[in-house]
Amino acid sequence: MNDQFMQAAIEEAKKGLEEGGIPIGSVIVHNEKILGSGHNRRVQKGSAILHGEMDAFENAGRQPAKVYKESVIYTTLSPCSMCTGAILLYKIPKVVIGENKTFMGDEDLLRSRGVEVVVLNDEECIEMMENFIASKPGLWNEDIGV
């Protein structure tokens, strides 16, 4: 993977895994600079909502609407309904997804609302999630609301 921003999201996912959590990472980029980065911290924080994208939003802090409308969000995994909602709420125009093989989020909803969706099918992202799901299926099912 040579995309520096997806690589940053992958590094966030690895942090989550090292902390005993779910390996999903995300970064929000504005004007070629990372505005906020994060990883799934539901396990670490006992949170119902700290998915990777939500953590990146939290770490980006309050921003003018114009900033989000000019940003791109990178995420290692296809965004779930909750994270899709946040992307739509803040009118982020482009989402770059590491992979959607292990989990297909609400990409169709994003596209239907005019969001550009780019899926990289990155092997490192796929392998990281496949290994995690195989080793901790209960935790994975909890994360996706199953």
Side-chain angles (χ1 to χ4, degrees):
M1 172 60 51
N2 59 7
D3 183 308
Q4 65 175 334
F5 299 123
M6 182 54 68
Q7 194 56 51
I10 290 169
E11 292 307 314
E12 284 290 332
K14 290 177 181 177
K15 283 183 200 174
L17 187 60
E18 289 166 9
E19 294 169 359
I22 299 162
I24 303 167
S26 182
V27 296
I28 299 170
V29 176
H30 180 256
N31 290 336
E32 297 300 311
K33 293 184 182 158
I34 295 176
L35 186 65
S37 60
H39 53 277
N40 187 306
R41 296 191 305 149
R42 290 185 66 251
V43 173
Q44 300 91 312
K45 295 286 186 180
S47 171
I49 61 167
L50 273 182
H51 281 188
E53 299 91 334
M54 302 302 277
D55 194 38
F57 275 114
E58 182 69 17
N59 291 326
R62 290 179 60 199
Q63 299 293 329
K66 179 181 185 295
V67 170
Y68 285 122
K69 288 178 186 175
E70 298 171 344
S71 295
V72 177
I73 189 166
Y74 291 75
T75 180
T76 58
L77 186 65
S78 186
C80 73
S81 300
M82 176 176 63
C83 297
T84 292
I87 292 164
L88 293 174
L89 176 69
Y90 291 109
K91 297 179 174 55
I92 292 182
K94 183 175 180 178
V95 180
V96 180
I97 298 168
E99 68 103 350
N100 62 7
K101 179 181 174 195
T102 61
F103 176 79
M104 174 58 77
D106 282 336
E107 294 175 24
D108 288 342
L109 177 58
L110 289 166
R111 287 185 187 99
S112 78
R113 298 282 291 274
V115 176
E116 180 184 354
V117 176
V118 177
V119 180
L120 302 177
N121 287 317
D122 179 77
E123 285 301 321
E124 186 175 8
C125 292
I126 294 167
E127 185 179 332
M128 191 165 32
M129 284 309 300
E130 284 178 342
N131 291 340
F132 178 79
I133 293 167
S135 67
K136 297 188 177 174
L139 186 55
W140 170 242
N141 286 335
E142 174 191 322
D143 196 64
I144 59 171
V146 175

